Structure formats: structure tokens, C-alpha cells
Amino acid sequence: MNTNKNSACKLKQLLLVIVLVFSNITTNATIIPIHTKDFSLLLQTDNENRLILSYFGDRLANNDELKYVSDMFNFTDENIGICNSAYTPSGTWNLSEPALKVIHSDGNNSLELKYDSHTIDPLTNGAKQYTIVLKDPVYPIEVKLFYKVFEAENLIEQWTEISHNEDGILRMQKYASANLYFTDKDPYLKSFHNQWAMEMQANSQRLTRGIKTLDSKMGSRNVMLQSQSFIVSFGHEAKENTGKVMLAQLAWSGNFKIDFEVDSYDNLRLIAGINPHASEYYLKPKEVFETPALIYALSNNGTGEASRNMHNWAREHRVLDGQGERLTLLNNWEATYFDFNEKKITKLFKDAQEIGVDLFLLDDGWFGNKYPRNNDDAGLGDWTENKKKLPHGIGYLIKEAHKKDIKFGIWIEPEMVNPESELYENHPDWVIKQSQRPEIYQRDQLVLDLTNPEVQDFVYGVVDRLFTDNPELAFIKWDCNSIIHNAHSAYLAKENTPQSHLYIDYTKGLYKVLERLRAKYPKVPMMLCAGGGGRADYNFLQYFTEFWVSDNTDPLERVFQQWNYSYFYPSIVTDNHVTNWGNQSLKYKVDVASMGKLGFDIVASELSKDELTFCTEAVKNYNSFKEIIWHGDQYRLQNPYDYDVASLLYTSKEKDRIIMFSYLVNTRVLYHTKTEPIKLNGLDANKQYRVNEINLFPNTLSQIKNEQTYSGDFLMKVGLNIPVDEDNPSVVLELTEVK
């Protein structure tokens, strides 16, 4: 045995380990700590001046110790590069999934990004914005990473700006908004898949080696198949009140792509952004490309806390009029469909008045003359009142509604066109389609080309004319039923712009229209609809006050859908209507619809006396507690997927008034429904609460001990046994502080 040779080999191995351990460390490292109330995201330069994400976890208390963090981790894999890069480039040292991939104007496809500078700026809304500049040392390309931090809510908005000063076009083949890295092991993903009438269906899975992708290629109705909202947890599936979770959404209304990669260290890499599918973007010199934001809320106490933080952030900082009011309404769709006239509609105004809602909404079918809108295959695009149905126009209906002390709103679908329409006859070049291919219709319609400024003007003009001609118009329901097939723009072709810009420029064109509308009509409520819940994101909710959850209004299905939406959205933005869907009682339907923005789509004149009385009283009750539903804190108590009875509550910020909803969701095993109490949450343990059942059907006695008082401590540790069964499938309780 050669002892000297073995010793030299061991020494060489030891030196290699030392080199590997300290390869990413430099004593002159720039450290950028990004703190929320409970978490720290630590960015740091390595010895090559590349920016790495060295830590993402519980808040670090001592800034003096931040310089030691990277000593404790070594995630440089010589086979694939640096796993924890803060924004991973392509074509040089990295062989893992990149955040940014480009082809330079000279044809070179390599990219390197090194730290240049950073700034930290306080914002007027109480947030703090970090801007970090990265530059390629060879090519004049610049990437800015933005982190807008809402400290109290443990929430971050993260996005990117890309620009360059090359001699020609920079071809961007991927351009992510965010590139995150988690060292917590055993990650789980809860995602939500969609289809018509089956939106927000939850799917949980443990993430293993490789890449799991959530994406959309729909073009317009972007979440028709898959939501861009998701939950990440560690060690186990996401739980309501325990465990580390991240609730996140890519706030983009077009195609998206979110990659979850478990790497060779069993750590999670997350890269989210616009879907680069068929969307290579040609960036001109000095042009700035801004990506949409990835919004994420963090919690060590489960999804409940993260949701409440996201709800508070949304109402305060993102949703249009998030701290304001909403209108209850009666819609005519299920009452009349396309078959109506002035007499039928004005008769429904009396129904709206009797129920006690704020507004009547006239749905699809009110427009088109040469091609009247008597079904869904004609007239779309010809936005003038149908003279046979409405000889006196929209203005007459508004006046008649006002006589009943209700407001008036209207349905539109301005991004779409029927081939059987005057608009299509006059402007076939305004339609997205391949001229050499057969047209593909969804609901007998095609999508207008919003990359075209003329089309943007037209869509803006549809809404502007409605408001200009009818200044007292109080509400808009904006629908979108088609996705983009045969993706080709005659306008982009005329402008010599690559067709790969279509999906992005369509979405940006829609935003331009909405920005113009909100500049002129900043306060008018607008509902976002897309063949049900085919659109819902926080970029749209800067322009819309609310969105339609689903065309499926069966209240049992809605318990599950509204539960899943509540992870991400406050109840003030979810539109819930009482309709003829489902075999449940009218009370069950109204109770479920009251967990958001209440509406009706029924013929009140066909209700029995007791049913009409119940609806009228239920609306009065709703008006008494809607502020708590809209602006209070939500606590999910019993999950409908795991229990026979689903339960949740809303509490005022002062915790002096609580509204609690409980629903039977499983009729197969009835003996489980009343065996144990439901523990409440979110109360003040030191306060006394009086319990009363509300929304009782006429001539029905409550099984609750009304006027009984309990301490918050008792209610949260022992709970209430709610009398929910097949004969009494929904219960609404009001808890009021006894002073």
C-alpha cells in the first residue's frame, strides 16, 4: 500500500470539499435582505458576482449574522450550475430550467447576469419596493428584479423588467416573472383545474424529482382548464391552521406557465411567468418589457392565516373599490334567456323591488337588428338595441327601473363577434383567424383582434357609448366565452410584427381598453365573466369590482367552489346567485349565495308566499351583515372534502359580531352530522357571545338555544353542536358580543 499516495488523495479530496463549500462565498458579497413580518428572503452575490437566493424562511432577527447564511448552504452542482440563482439565465453555466432565455441580435444565444446595483424605496401605500439591477458583462442587456413587500401581510409581489441596447432585435424565448428556491423538504402542491361548470377543482400531490407544470394556452379565456393560483406546503398537504404554506397567483390574464422543479438536493425551484409557447417576443433596443407579478402570501400557520392576509392585501391594495360597497341584483337570464321584450323585463323590476335587491341586470339578447340576437349564433358585435324587443331603448328601461327604486345594469361581450353580424361583414380583418384554415367557433363566435388599436377603440366605444347615452347605467357584466383558435393577426402582419406577439399583445390591448374605461368611469361596478369562471386574476381585479364564480349555481357544488376560491379571494369579489340549478331548498341556495356578493336569477312572482317572504327577510338579514362578509376576516372551520358538514365563519375586525354558515354536503352518512361540536375560530377568548339562528324559513323553529351566551374561549375549545341534518341542511348563526 502506498501510504503517501493515499494521504495525498485524501488531502486532495478535503481541499475539493473546501472549494465546493466556499465556492459561492466572497467576503465582499453584497447582501440584500428582504423582510416581511415573519419571513426573510435573502439575496446575495457569490464570488463571480452572480445573484443567488441564499435563504427563504423564517425571519432572521440579527442583520449582523446575515453574512454567515451562505456559509451553511452549498447548492452549486457542477453538472447543472447554480440551483438557487435568483434569476437563472440560459446558454452559459446553467443547464437547469432557466428564467430567461434570449437570442441576441448577432445570433448568439448565451446569457450571463451579474449584480450591478440595487435600491430600496418606501411607497405611499406602506409597502417597500426593492429594485435589483442585473447586467450581462458582454452584451448590453439589463434585467431589473422587483420585490414589492407588504410587511404586515407577509405578502410579496415579484416581477421583472427586461431591456437592452443592442444594435438590433433581442429575441426573448422565455421571460419569467419570478424564480424562487425553497430548502424546506418534501414539497406538496395544491393546484386547481377547471372546465365549464366545474371550476376550481382541487388537486393535491407530493412533488418529486422532475418538473410539474401548470399552464394555459387558451389566449383569452385563460383559466378555462387550469388556474394560475396554487398552494405550496412542506412535509404534508397544506393544512388550515398549521404548517408552512405559500399561497400564490400569477396576476396575468393571458397564457401562463408555472414550473415546480424538485432538484438534485430535493429542494424546490419555482419559475413562474407568461407562457412562452408560440410567444417568442422581439424586443427592440431601449424598449422595456415588463412581466406580470407573481403574488405570494406566506404563513407558518397554515392556509387560513395566509388567506386572511391575502384578502386584506387585496381589499386594501389591489381590488377596485375593495373597501367599498357592492350591489345585490336580480338577473333575467334564467327567467327569460333570449326570449324577452320590454313588458317581460319591466315586469321583473317588480320582482326585484319585492325581493329588496339594489339592481336589475339585463343579460344577453338585447341587441342586433339586421342579425337579431335571439340565440347565441347571431348579432354579437352589433351593439345597438334590438328595436323589436326594446323599441324604447335602454334609457326607457333605466327610467322604469328607477320608478321601482332599483338601479339598472347590462350584459356585454365586447371582445367577441358572431360571423353572422354586421361587424363581421364590415371588418373581417378585425378577427383573429387563419385565412387559409376553416374558422373554429366556440359558442358560434370568434375573438376580435385586440392587438389592433382600431379594435381597441371599437371595444372601448361599445362601453363608452352605453354610458354616454345612458349616464345612469349602474352596472356592467363583461363576458368572454371564446378562446383563441387559429391564432393569426392581420394587423400584426400588416405592421410586420411577428405573429408570436399575438397572445401577449392581445392581453395588453385588453388592459389598455380597461385603463381608458377606468380613467373615464372610475367607480361604475363591473362584473368579470368568462363562460362561467374562465377568468379570475388580480390583474383583472384592478379594473373589475367582482367576478362570476361559475355558471354552475347548484348550491352544493358552490360550497366546494367557493371554498376553494376563498383561499385566494376575499368574498367581496365573488358573485353568487340564487337560481333554479340544484334540488336543494330555497333556503339552502340563499344561505350559500350569501357568502359573497348576493344575487338572484329567479322569477319572484312564481315563488310561494312563504318563499317570497323568506327571500325578502334573507335580503334584509344579508344587508345587516354584508359588511362582515365583505370586509371581515374569514375562518374556514370544516372542509367539505373531509366532513359531512362544511362550516366557516366571518368575524368583524373588532371580533364583536360573527356570521357562521354550516351546510350538509354528504347525505350518505347522516349519523355523523350531529355527533360532535364544531370548534369556532377567530373569536376573542375573553368576550361573551350571544348565539342566534337567522335566515329561518317562515313557520320554522330554530333548534339552537337562541339567546344562549358562551365565552369565546368555550366556543373555540369546545364549539357548538350545529343541528344540521337532511331535514335542516343549512344553518346560519349570528354571534353578537354581550357587553
Side-chain angles (χ1 to χ4, degrees):
M1 178 180 290
N2 190 330
T3 304
N4 291 335
K5 185 175 181 181
N6 284 343
S7 298
C9 183
K10 289 180 180 178
L11 179 61
K12 184 176 180 181
Q13 289 174 343
L14 178 62
L15 290 172
L16 179 60
V17 169
I18 293 172
V19 168
L20 285 173
V21 169
F22 291 97
S23 62
N24 275 341
I25 302 170
T26 172
T27 55
N28 297 318
T30 298
I31 300 174
I32 309 170
I34 298 175
H35 298 302
T36 69
K37 180 170 66 72
D38 299 317
F39 291 88
S40 293
L41 189 158
L42 194 63
L43 301 170
Q44 179 174 333
T45 56
D46 66 7
N47 61 350
E48 296 291 333
N49 207 32
R50 301 183 181 113
L51 192 68
I52 62 171
L53 200 168
S54 61
Y55 178 84
F56 195 5
D58 292 342
R59 179 158 181 163
L60 300 173
N62 302 312
N63 284 336
D64 291 342
E65 295 180 320
L66 299 182
K67 59 188 175 184
Y68 303 128
V69 170
S70 63
D71 296 12
M72 307 302 157
F73 299 93
N74 173 40
F75 298 132
T76 301
D77 188 326
E78 61 183 10
N79 292 312
I80 61 172
I82 303 168
C83 296
N84 59 335
S85 171
Y87 198 71
T88 310
S90 176
T92 49
W93 51 264
N94 168 60
L95 296 176
S96 59
E97 187 67 24
L100 182 61
K101 183 180 180 183
V102 303
I103 298 177
H104 298 281
S105 58
D106 64 0
N108 189 294
N109 65 353
S110 66
L111 181 66
E112 173 68 290
L113 294 174
K114 298 197 175 185
Y115 169 81
D116 180 76
S117 62
H118 75 276
T119 57
I120 305 172
D121 301 300
L123 304 178
T124 56
N125 58 11
K128 189 181 293 184
Q129 183 166 297
Y130 297 73
T131 305
I132 303 163
V133 179
L134 308 177
K135 292 184 178 181
D136 189 309
V138 175
Y139 288 89
I141 180 172
E142 178 178 281
V143 175
K144 291 182 179 178
L145 308 182
F146 293 88
Y147 302 80
K148 185 185 291 186
V149 179
F150 297 84
E151 186 172 351
E153 291 86 359
N154 285 319
L155 186 141
I156 298 174
E157 296 179 41
Q158 184 177 343
W159 72 97
T160 304
E161 284 184 359
I162 304 162
S163 61
H164 73 96
N165 197 25
E166 297 188 12
D167 292 335
I169 295 296
L170 181 74
R171 292 164 56 193
M172 299 197 302
Q173 298 183 316
K174 190 174 183 182
Y175 28 86
S177 300
N179 187 170
L180 297 175
Y181 195 73
F182 301 87
T183 58
D184 304 82
K185 296 300 187 283
D186 200 16
Y188 281 75
L189 171 67
K190 177 174 278 190
S191 57
F192 302 88
H193 58 272
N194 301 326
Q195 64 188 71
W196 180 79
M198 293 292 288
E199 290 85 351
M200 289 301 279
Q201 303 298 304
N203 177 61
S204 294
Q205 64 186 103
R206 181 175 178 266
L207 294 171
T208 57
R209 294 283 181 94
I211 298 179
K212 165 72 177 181
T213 297
L214 307 177
D215 77 336
S216 170
K217 303 180 183 72
M218 301 293 104
S220 54
R221 196 173 156 189
N222 66 316
V223 297
M224 187 176 78
L225 299 180
Q226 178 72 58
S227 173
Q228 75 274 59
S229 300
F230 59 91
I231 303 172
V232 172
S233 59
F234 298 92
H236 49 70
E237 291 185 16
K239 296 183 178 180
E240 187 68 18
N241 297 309
T242 59
K244 181 176 180 179
V245 298
M246 178 178 76
L247 268 64
Q249 178 190 107
L250 185 74
W252 175 247
S253 310
N255 296 343
F256 58 85
K257 186 171 189 282
I258 306 167
D259 290 323
F260 304 85
E261 179 181 14
V262 177
D263 67 12
S264 57
Y265 300 101
D266 292 319
N267 296 330
L268 177 63
R269 300 179 73 238
L270 192 162
I271 299 176
I274 295 172
N275 196 336
H277 167 74
S279 296
E280 182 176 74
Y281 202 87
Y282 287 51
L283 193 67
K284 299 175 182 177
K286 298 183 179 180
E287 180 184 358
V288 177
F289 184 90
E290 180 178 330
T291 69
L294 179 70
I295 300 164
Y296 48 95
L298 306 161
S299 172
N300 281 322
N301 300 304
T303 54
E305 180 181 84
S307 291
R308 288 185 290 277
N309 283 338
M310 185 169 277
H311 297 171
N312 288 335
W313 163 84
R315 287 185 295 248
E316 180 68 27
H317 302 289
R318 180 55 63 103
V319 174
L320 182 66
D321 197 24
Q323 300 288 15
E325 301 292 316
R326 295 296 185 268
L327 298 168
T328 56
L329 62 83
L330 175 67
N331 190 10
N332 73 297
W333 180 242
E334 291 194 15
T336 67
Y337 294 101
F338 294 101
D339 183 19
F340 61 82
N341 53 33
E342 281 182 349
K343 185 177 180 180
K344 280 188 178 181
I345 295 302
T346 54
K347 185 179 178 182
L348 292 174
F349 295 165
K350 186 174 184 292
D351 291 354
Q353 183 186 42
E354 287 188 342
I355 294 173
V357 298
D358 304 315
L359 176 134
F360 178 87
L361 173 63
L362 178 62
D363 215 291
D364 194 358
W366 58 269
F367 51 89
N369 287 288
K370 181 178 179 181
Y371 302 102
R373 183 72 167 175
N374 294 324
N375 48 51
D376 62 10
D377 63 7
L380 199 62
D382 301 342
W383 299 102
T384 54
E385 295 95 325
N386 181 279
K387 294 177 181 178
K388 184 176 180 180
K389 291 182 181 179
L390 306 176
H392 298 98
I394 298 299
Y396 169 79
L397 295 179
I398 293 174
K399 290 178 182 178
E400 292 300 302
H402 286 179
K403 290 178 181 178
K404 301 295 183 182
D405 295 319
I406 56 172
K407 298 179 180 179
F408 185 89
I410 201 164
W411 176 97
I412 56 172
E413 194 176 3
E415 299 165 68
M416 306 293 158
V417 62
N418 288 129
E420 193 172 325
S421 67
E422 293 182 77
L423 178 65
Y424 186 87
E425 288 179 346
N426 296 330
H427 297 286
D429 57 320
W430 282 10
V431 177
I432 294 175
K433 61 177 182 176
Q434 296 276 1
S435 59
Q436 303 301 316
R437 304 289 182 183
E439 294 179 351
I440 300 175
Y441 306 131
Q442 188 167 3
R443 206 180 184 229
D444 295 297
Q445 61 194 53
L446 296 165
V447 183
L448 293 175
D449 183 5
L450 279 171
T451 70
N452 186 339
E454 284 187 279
V455 177
Q456 293 171 27
D457 289 342
F458 169 80
V459 174
Y460 169 82
V462 169
V463 186
D464 184 48
R465 184 189 65 79
L466 280 170
F467 284 129
T468 301
D469 293 348
N470 309 287
E472 294 182 291
L473 186 65
F475 189 87
I476 291 288
K477 178 182 177 183
W478 184 304
D479 211 342
C480 166
N481 281 288
S482 285
I483 59 178
I484 294 177
H485 294 285
N486 284 339
H488 180 85
S489 164
Y491 171 76
L492 292 179
K494 184 179 68 174
E495 295 295 312
N496 294 318
T497 300
Q499 291 296 320
S500 59
H501 284 213
L502 174 57
Y503 289 122
I504 295 172
D505 288 357
Y506 176 89
T507 305
K508 290 184 175 181
L510 178 55
Y511 289 158
K512 288 178 181 178
V513 172
L514 294 170
E515 286 164 7
R516 289 173 65 188
L517 287 171
R518 282 310 179 190
K520 188 171 182 180
Y521 308 102
K523 295 183 178 181
V524 177
M526 292 205 308
M527 176 201 297
L528 178 65
C529 181
R535 273 180 169 175
D537 68 74
Y538 275 120
N539 231 356
F540 264 141
L541 286 173
Q542 297 177 98
Y543 311 110
F544 292 87
T545 51
E546 59 222 63
F547 69 88
W548 183 233
V549 169
S550 175
D551 282 347
N552 187 342
T553 51
D554 182 307
L556 180 58
E557 292 296 329
R558 276 298 187 106
V559 170
F560 290 84
Q561 290 180 324
Q562 291 169 207
W563 184 278
N564 289 333
Y565 275 114
S566 77
Y567 286 118
F568 307 98
Y569 299 106
S571 295
I572 193 172
V573 303
T574 57
D575 284 310
N576 310 322
H577 289 185
V578 178
T579 76
N580 293 321
W581 282 53
N583 297 318
Q584 297 79 12
S585 68
L586 180 63
K587 170 178 163 50
Y588 195 106
K589 294 179 178 183
V590 172
D591 290 350
V592 172
S594 295
M595 297 188 301
K597 205 210 80 166
L598 176 63
F600 292 84
D601 203 331
I602 58 177
V603 182
S605 60
E606 296 178 359
L607 298 176
S608 70
K609 181 180 178 181
D610 283 348
E611 287 175 330
L612 182 58
T613 299
F614 170 75
C615 286
T616 303
E617 291 302 312
V619 170
K620 290 179 182 177
N621 285 335
Y622 178 78
N623 288 337
S624 75
F625 63 65
K626 62 188 180 184
E627 280 294 318
I628 301 172
I629 305 297
W630 296 344
H631 302 121
D633 291 325
Q634 183 192 66
Y635 289 83
R636 295 179 290 264
L637 306 177
Q638 285 195 173
N639 191 319
Y641 294 93
D642 299 330
Y643 293 89
D644 298 331
V645 174
S647 189
L648 70 164
L649 65 79
Y650 298 84
T651 175
S652 65
K653 295 294 184 182
E654 298 76 19
K655 300 184 183 296
D656 59 352
R657 193 173 176 216
I658 292 89
I659 305 297
M660 179 178 176
F661 299 88
S662 299
Y663 305 101
L664 182 66
V665 293
N666 179 12
T667 59
R668 293 179 298 170
V669 190
L670 297 181
Y671 61 84
H672 281 169
T673 59
K674 294 190 288 187
T675 55
E676 295 181 357
I678 298 173
K679 293 179 181 179
L680 281 65
N681 201 353
L683 282 62
D684 186 326
N686 298 314
K687 289 182 176 180
Q688 293 288 320
Y689 295 93
R690 179 182 293 111
V691 179
N692 286 294
E693 183 175 357
I694 59 176
N695 274 23
L696 287 164
F697 202 77
N699 305 313
T700 302
L701 296 177
S702 174
Q703 299 178 49
I704 290 287
K705 292 182 179 179
N706 281 337
E707 301 299 319
Q708 178 70 44
T709 61
Y710 306 90
S711 69
D713 178 74
F714 178 90
L715 292 168
M716 291 189 290
K717 291 178 179 176
V718 177
L720 287 172
N721 195 308
I722 312 295
V724 176
D725 57 31
E726 195 168 22
D727 295 324
N728 191 44
S730 67
V731 172
V732 182
L733 300 181
E734 179 183 41
L735 287 75
T736 308
E737 181 187 1
V738 179
K739 298 183 180 179

